[in-house]
Amino acid sequence: YGIDRAVAVLRKQGVKNFIVDGGGDLYFAGEKSPGEPWTVGVKHPRRQNQIVAELSVRDAAIVSSGDYERFFERNGLRYHHILDLSDGQPARKSVAVTVRASDATFADAIATALFVLGPMEGLKFVQLYPDVDAAIFSPDGGVHSTSGFKGAFPTRWDAK
């Protein structure tokens, strides 16, 4: 919500080209320079300081949810902050999700929902929103994307 409010204020002031970063949730307005879109790197879910994809963005939010920022491991299990409300445990059907949508609040909500749903149910759900693109990283190493992200992400995130 804070990102979307900042975007509204900047637009009201007549600013056309900018980025708002709300702790990794981002909104990109306009272009980096005339004819050149903004580019954002999507963090690899297991290799710190490595990106798994680069996305070109104009007038959209890019939001990622994952089990790799706030977590600890115990007895071989990763415990993180995204909970599956059906059992109260950390969601385990995804390791990361990246969403592109028209605003950051919606993108964040969708990213968290897709993370909990996992790739198969998540892709069915996100198809209800034709202006939203998503990439869902599954625990088995696959990356499952909507048509708008086809080719932007590798088919596997665990490839060497």
Side-chain angles (χ1 to χ4, degrees):
Y1 176 78
I3 293 169
D4 294 333
R5 292 295 305 134
V7 168
V9 168
L10 288 166
R11 285 198 167 135
K12 187 174 181 180
Q13 296 299 315
V15 181
K16 294 185 182 341
N17 304 300
F18 57 86
I19 299 172
V20 176
D21 181 348
D25 292 353
L26 304 158
Y27 187 89
F28 299 84
E31 300 176 310
K32 182 177 181 180
S33 60
E36 183 182 358
W38 298 102
T39 301
V40 61
V42 177
K43 190 173 184 175
H44 192 287
R46 294 293 182 265
R47 298 181 191 143
Q48 193 171 357
N49 301 320
Q50 185 174 335
I51 61 169
V52 70
E54 288 186 358
L55 304 174
S56 295
V57 189
R58 286 184 175 98
D59 298 315
I62 298 288
V63 173
S64 293
S65 291
D67 68 359
Y68 52 86
E69 289 289 336
R70 297 177 197 99
F71 74 94
F72 67 91
E73 290 184 2
R74 184 174 181 159
N75 299 326
L77 280 178
R78 184 176 287 246
Y79 293 87
H80 55 84
H81 68 291
I82 304 172
L83 302 180
D84 183 335
L85 297 181
S86 69
D87 63 9
Q89 295 296 309
R92 304 227 184 265
K93 293 180 183 173
S94 306
V95 297
V97 173
T98 295
V99 169
R100 176 175 54 206
S102 61
D103 68 78
T105 304
F106 187 66
D108 187 47
I110 291 290
T112 302
L114 296 179
F115 188 95
V116 174
L117 290 170
M120 297 310 115
E121 291 301 314
L123 286 179
K124 287 180 199 171
F125 177 75
V126 78
Q127 288 175 1
L128 298 172
Y129 304 96
D131 295 335
V132 175
D133 287 304
I136 305 170
F137 296 56
S138 63
D140 69 3
V143 179
H144 310 268
S145 301
T146 59
S147 60
F149 274 169
K150 292 292 184 203
F153 287 86
T155 56
R156 299 203 57 83
W157 63 265
D158 63 348
K160 302 265 178 206

